[in-house]
């Protein structure tokens, strides 16, 4: 972080979806930079206001990226850099609500790019999903091998957002960067019916409930600690070498779901074990593993957080914020 603070010094930075786990951690890192001004836009559909950093240079504006009136107000503050993290998250949610998924992830992204272009924003960093845009490509997943054979509306609209980024770069010259996240986890993510498996596992484990595994448990994922993703985002925003590129922000390692469940039960002292449930129809990938060679080469990205230490940090955050998390969890 210290290597890039000079770039962000004195800048006004807009973070859409800034109340979520990645956005709030990104905002907290940027808020410590001298003379920086952070604007967070979030409709709190999958986050909570208490998760937003309470600092004088962090301004929170409630609302959706599909709202033109709100965006006109937000862009009146003249942000020089935009991190577009807002999305209707994620696969099952998009299957249950495909129209909302298209509006938020498609139209919302288009509007953010339009307003960024019209107001002279220097750069837009777009949060894409490596778990989405590759389809059934061979492992490890490499940036050039995307697919149109996708399984959910969320995957489709994440790819749509990337193509809009390319269009605005190629036609208008707007500098865009596409960062593909892989199974982010860590402090800041509130559990819920449409949330990721790790915060839900921690929540149920702390409540002494068995952890539900959808499938055999032998499935693997490339889980990436939120602090490492934030480091990648800071690098992607500061370095012009990232402009026009798509890069995986992942750990470059894979872990079995059954192992993760057992480790979380061990960390929390939960003796209720696990239960098995059928895999969801759209969940067709038995393994996920990303190549991070391109991000290493272009922006010097190198994840540093040990996976089990990341789990410990997450459990600690849950314990410290338990009353608020329990009140905000949406199941």
């Amino acid at each position: 972080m210290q290597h890039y603070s000079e770039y962000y010094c004195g800048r006004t930075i807009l973070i859409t979806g800034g109340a979520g786990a990645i956005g709030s951690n990104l905002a907290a890192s940027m808020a410590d930079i001298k003379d920086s001004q952070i604007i967070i836009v979030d409709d709190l559909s999958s986050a909570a206001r208490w998760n937003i950093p309470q600092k004088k240079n962090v301004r929170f504006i409630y609302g959706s990226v599909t709202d033109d009136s709100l965006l006109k107000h937000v862009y009146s503050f003249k942000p020089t850099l935009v991190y577009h993290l807002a999305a209707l998250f994620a696969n099952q949610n998009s299957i249950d609500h495909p129209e909302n998924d298209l509006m938020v992830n498609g139209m919302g992204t288009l509007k953010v790019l339009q307003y960024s272009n019209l107001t002279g924003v220097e750069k837009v960093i777009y949060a894409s999903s490596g778990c989405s845009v590759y389809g059934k490509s061979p492992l490890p997943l490499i940036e050039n091998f995307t697919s149109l054979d996708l399984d959910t509306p969320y995957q489709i609209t994440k790819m749509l957002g990337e193509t809009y980024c390319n269009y605005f770069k190629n036609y208008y010259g707007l500098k865009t960067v596409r960062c593909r996240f892989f199974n982010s986890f860590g402090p800041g993510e509130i559990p819920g019916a449409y949330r990721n498996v790790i915060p839900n596992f921690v929540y149920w484990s702390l409540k002494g409930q068995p952890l539900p595994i959808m499938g055999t448990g032998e499935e693997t994922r490339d889980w990436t600690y939120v602090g490492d993703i934030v480091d990648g985002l800071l690098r992607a925003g500061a370095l012009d070498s990232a402009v026009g590129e798509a890069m995986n922000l992942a750990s470059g390692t894979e872990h079995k779901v059954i192992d993760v469940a057992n480790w979380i039960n061990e960390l929390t002292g939960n003796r209720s074990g696990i239960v098995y449930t059928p895999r969801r129809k759209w969940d067709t990938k038995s393994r996920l593993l990303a190549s991070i060679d391109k991000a290493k080469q272009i922006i010097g990205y190198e994840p540093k957080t040990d996976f089990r230490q990341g789990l410990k940090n997450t459990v600690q955050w849950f314990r410290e914020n338990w009353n608020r998390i329990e009140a905000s969890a949406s199941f």
Side-chain angles (χ1 to χ4, degrees):
M1 174 63 194
Q2 60 271 21
H3 301 296
Y4 305 103
S5 58
E6 184 177 341
Y7 174 83
Y8 293 102
C9 181
R11 291 182 179 271
T12 298
I13 302 150
L14 169 61
I15 305 175
T16 71
I22 296 174
S24 61
N25 279 282
L26 177 63
S29 294
M30 287 184 159
D32 290 334
I33 298 173
K34 182 181 179 182
D35 297 328
S36 65
Q37 297 295 321
I38 315 301
I39 303 169
I40 288 175
V41 172
D42 204 301
D43 66 0
L44 304 181
S45 59
S46 57
R49 187 162 185 163
W50 59 263
N51 210 29
I52 297 170
Q54 302 300 306
K55 298 189 177 184
K56 290 182 179 180
N57 59 337
V58 176
R59 180 193 300 268
F60 170 61
I61 300 174
Y62 172 80
S64 170
V65 290
T66 62
D67 184 341
D68 280 292
S69 297
L70 176 133
L71 289 174
K72 289 176 182 177
H73 173 60
V74 168
Y75 278 86
S76 71
F77 294 100
K78 302 295 183 183
T80 57
L81 199 71
V82 175
Y83 282 89
H84 181 43
L85 310 183
L88 185 83
F89 187 87
N91 289 298
Q92 189 61 52
N93 201 359
S94 73
I95 290 172
D96 294 341
H97 308 101
E99 295 89 353
N100 289 346
D101 174 84
L102 181 58
M103 285 301 298
V104 176
N105 299 353
M107 185 63 77
T109 297
L110 174 58
K111 287 181 181 293
V112 166
L113 290 167
Q114 285 176 321
Y115 280 95
S116 296
N117 183 56
L118 288 170
T119 59
V121 166
E122 293 180 14
K123 198 178 300 181
V124 176
I125 296 87
Y126 171 68
S128 186
S129 170
C131 305
S132 298
V133 301
Y134 291 110
K136 299 172 179 64
S137 302
L139 301 181
L141 297 169
I142 300 172
E143 286 82 355
N144 291 341
F145 292 93
T146 55
S147 172
L148 294 179
D149 184 14
L150 305 176
D151 297 308
T152 69
Y154 179 78
Q155 295 174 10
I156 293 168
T157 53
K158 277 297 169 183
M159 176 66 83
L160 175 63
E162 287 209 29
T163 56
Y164 269 128
C165 285
N166 282 337
Y167 165 67
F168 274 81
K169 175 185 66 71
N170 295 334
Y171 191 84
Y172 295 105
L174 177 64
K175 293 180 179 180
T176 61
V177 183
R178 293 163 287 142
C179 294
R180 295 172 180 167
F181 302 159
F182 278 78
N183 301 101
S184 171
F185 79 100
E189 185 168 12
I190 297 167
Y194 294 123
R195 303 310 304 173
N196 286 313
V197 65
I198 286 181
N200 287 353
F201 273 1
V202 174
Y203 178 76
W204 290 320
S205 188
L206 287 170
K207 291 177 74 70
Q209 299 176 3
L211 305 187
I213 291 179
M214 297 178 180
T216 66
E218 296 298 309
E219 297 84 2
T220 70
R221 295 293 181 261
D222 190 330
W223 277 288
T224 315
Y225 188 66
V226 65
D228 290 325
I229 288 183
V230 166
D231 178 69
L233 287 171
L234 291 168
R235 292 169 179 269
L239 299 174
D240 277 343
S241 57
V243 172
E245 301 289 350
M247 293 173 291
N248 295 332
L249 295 186
S251 69
T253 58
E254 56 185 329
H255 295 282
K256 293 180 181 179
V257 176
I258 182 67
D259 291 336
V260 174
N262 287 332
W263 290 336
I264 290 173
N265 276 338
E266 177 186 324
L267 286 170
T268 62
N270 181 29
R271 298 183 178 180
S272 296
I274 59 176
V275 293
Y276 291 94
T277 62
R279 288 177 71 174
R280 294 161 292 191
K281 185 177 180 180
W282 56 264
D283 191 2
T284 60
K285 301 179 182 73
S286 60
R287 291 178 61 205
L288 274 176
L289 176 64
S291 167
I292 56 175
D293 291 345
K294 185 176 181 179
K296 283 182 178 180
Q297 179 182 358
I298 292 177
I299 60 173
Y301 171 74
E302 189 170 353
K304 293 181 170 57
T305 308
D306 174 77
F307 180 68
R308 295 195 67 168
Q309 182 60 51
L311 289 180
K312 291 179 182 178
N313 297 346
T314 306
V315 170
Q316 180 180 350
W317 179 79
F318 264 76
R319 293 188 188 279
E320 292 172 352
N321 296 277
W322 179 249
N323 290 337
R324 294 192 293 188
I325 291 171
E326 195 167 27
S328 303
S330 55
F331 289 98

